[in-house]
């Protein structure tokens, strides 16, 4: 679960990481009132679950409450890379002397948390990693050993932070960030930029915070932070129905059984020149109710104009899935062409059932490639 900047900063503050004082606003009037309360220059920040807000114009400095109100009115409703701004964070503005970058995330390959620190912050970290990899200090933490004092020291020296005051503050923030990462069951805690003010104070100016969904049961306060309105409406519907669904940009609705098979299907659709409209995993089962619910979610996307079922029968038998599909199509009307590829256990029986009983807009194919070609041509 991704958190908004202000939510991540709240967790930072709880962990003892310095952040600026701010207020949440959902209207221009609230933004003005927040600026009045905070006093002095403020920064009006779009709260969206996507980066690069600054470049998109979603972050503006305001010298007066009137200006804050004007910026808020302009930023609210703005579309930042597909995310509509509904919330603003009004924060006391900071003077910036330097912008650093600090994060801790999971390195799945190493099976260890990975710290990254660079004095070249503020910009995209991918850019730093590509153009000047030597400027990026990377260090793994052994999860059993935990964070040791030398980790922080190694990071600051390798990143080339040479002011003793900054060294002290950054190593303290490294420790607190790791504390937050562990205590809140995070997958990512990123501070970009971690600024140094002209007075030499180090603090987190931004936050990117991702919490492990599977640990939310022990963080009810964080679970409550979820913004139900921010999700794609179809993803919300899918969550309610217990369907594993991710919205994509294309036109071909995809259903398969097993995440790996669905991923492969997306690749094959791409290979034959089509564009998948979604990722949807039916899971192990292929029962009619599951198929109905998945089809309801997929067909609620107006961009979809053809549907591909890619089923590999293992423990689930293809004839059962075929019956599930037929029952589902008996319960709901689907006008789009549907291509079904069945392979594996009882595939022949499944194909026979479909060929005999299926409506005219349903086509049966034997291989993944031929099914992908068929659905794209349709
Ligand atoms: P992002 O673009 O979504 O990563 O949003 P950030 O919160 O990182 O802000 C982007 C940039 O806006 C920062 O790198 C700063 O240069 C600038 N910025 C944000 N807050 C302040 C502030 O309080 N004072 C000043 N002077 N600049 C700020
Ligand atoms: Mn940032």
């Amino acid at each position: 679960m991704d958190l908004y900047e202000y939510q991540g900063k709240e967790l930072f503050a709880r962990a003892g990481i310095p952040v600026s004082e701010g207020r949440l606003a959902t209207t221009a009037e609230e933004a003005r009132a927040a600026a009045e309360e905070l006093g002095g220059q403020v920064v009006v920040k779009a709260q969206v679950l996507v980066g690069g807000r600054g470049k998109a114009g979603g972050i503006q400095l305001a010298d007066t409450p009137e200006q804050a109100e004007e910026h808020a009115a302009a930023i609210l409703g703005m579309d930042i890379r597909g995310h509509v701004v509904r919330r603003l964070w009004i924060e006391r503005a900071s003077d910036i002397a330097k912008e650093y970058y600090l994060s801790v995330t999971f390195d799945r390959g190493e099976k260890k948390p990975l710290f990254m620190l660079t004095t070249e912050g503020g910009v995209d970290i991918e850019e730093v990693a590509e153009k000047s990899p030597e400027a990026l200090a990377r260090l793994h933490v052994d999860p059993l050993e935990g964070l040791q004092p030398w980790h922080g020291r190694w990071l600051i020296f390798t990143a080339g932070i040479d002011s003793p005051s900054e060294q002290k503050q950054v190593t303290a923030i490294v420790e607190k960030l790791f504390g937050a990462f562990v205590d809140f069951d995070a997958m990512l805690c990123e501070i970009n930029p971690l600024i140094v003010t002209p007075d030499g104070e180090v603090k987190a100016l931004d936050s990117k915070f991702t919490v492990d969904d599977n640990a939310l049961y022990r963080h009810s306060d964080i679970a409550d932070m979820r913004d139900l309105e921010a999700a794609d409406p179809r993803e919300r519907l899918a969550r309610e129905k217990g369907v594993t669904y991710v919205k994509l940009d294309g036109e071909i609705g995809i259903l398969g059984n097993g995440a790996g098979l669905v991923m492969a299907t997306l690749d094959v659709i791409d290979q034959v020149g089509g564009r998948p409209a979604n990722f949807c995993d039916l899971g192990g089962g292929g029962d009619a109710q599951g198929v109905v619910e998945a089809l309801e979610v997929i067909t609620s996307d107006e961009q979809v104009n053809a549907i591909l079922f890619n089923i590999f029968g293992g423990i689930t038998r293809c004839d059962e899935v075929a019956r599930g599909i037929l029952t589902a199509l008996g319960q709901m009307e689907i006008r789009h062409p549907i291509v079904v590829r069945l392979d594996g256990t009882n595939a022949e029986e499944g194909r026979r059932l479909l060929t005999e009983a299926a409506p005219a807009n349903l086509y049966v194919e034997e291989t993944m490639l031929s099914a992908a070609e068929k659905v794209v041509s349709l």
Side-chain angles (χ1 to χ4, degrees), residues 61 234 364:
L61 287 165
R234 280 164 296 269
V364 181

Side-chain angles (χ1 to χ4, degrees), residues 232 234-235 245-250 276-279 301 303-304:
D232 179 272
R234 280 164 296 269
E235 291 188 6
Y245 172 93
V246 180
K247 167 92 176 93
L248 300 170
D249 291 334
N278 65 275
F279 170 102
D301 179 355
Q303 233 173 291
V304 168

Side-chain angles (χ1 to χ4, degrees), residues 195-361:
I195 59 155
V196 184
T197 67
D199 301 334
E201 189 197 343
V202 181
K203 66 178 171 187
L205 207 66
D206 191 7
S207 112
K208 209 175 197 180
F209 210 116
T210 308
V211 178
D212 184 353
D213 282 320
N214 294 312
L216 286 176
Y217 72 93
R218 53 185 179 201
H219 302 287
S220 59
D221 52 337
I222 300 177
D224 288 344
M225 290 179 176
R226 192 191 292 278
D227 178 7
L228 295 172
E229 283 178 16
D232 179 272
R234 280 164 296 269
E235 291 188 6
R236 196 160 66 221
L237 180 69
R239 198 184 348 252
E240 282 163 15
K241 291 187 178 292
V243 176
T244 308
Y245 172 93
V246 180
K247 167 92 176 93
L248 300 170
D249 291 334
E251 295 77 28
I252 297 174
I254 310 279
L255 292 93
N257 62 334
L261 183 66
V262 180
M263 295 295 279
T265 312
L266 304 184
D267 285 347
V268 175
I269 289 292
D270 181 73
Q271 184 190 330
V272 299
R275 298 195 315 156
N278 65 275
F279 170 102
C280 181
D281 178 10
L282 290 171
D287 63 309
Q289 194 50 38
V291 175
V292 168
E293 281 171 354
L295 282 174
E296 276 173 0
V297 174
I298 287 173
T299 53
S300 71
D301 179 355
E302 290 110 39
Q303 233 173 291
V304 168
N305 51 33
I307 296 170
L308 171 61
F309 278 86
N310 191 6
I311 306 295
F312 188 87
I315 295 169
T316 314
R317 293 167 7 222
C318 288
D319 57 316
E320 274 177 21
V321 181
R323 282 191 196 94
I325 293 172
L326 290 172
T327 313
L329 293 180
Q331 285 175 21
M332 61 195 298
E333 194 196 350
I334 300 218
R335 293 206 190 81
H336 308 295
I338 301 170
V339 176
V340 183
R341 177 259 183 164
L342 289 175
D343 202 354
T345 311
N346 288 7
E348 270 176 38
E349 170 74 0
R351 286 197 291 266
R352 189 184 59 76
L353 284 170
L354 286 178
T355 316
E356 281 172 7
N361 61 340

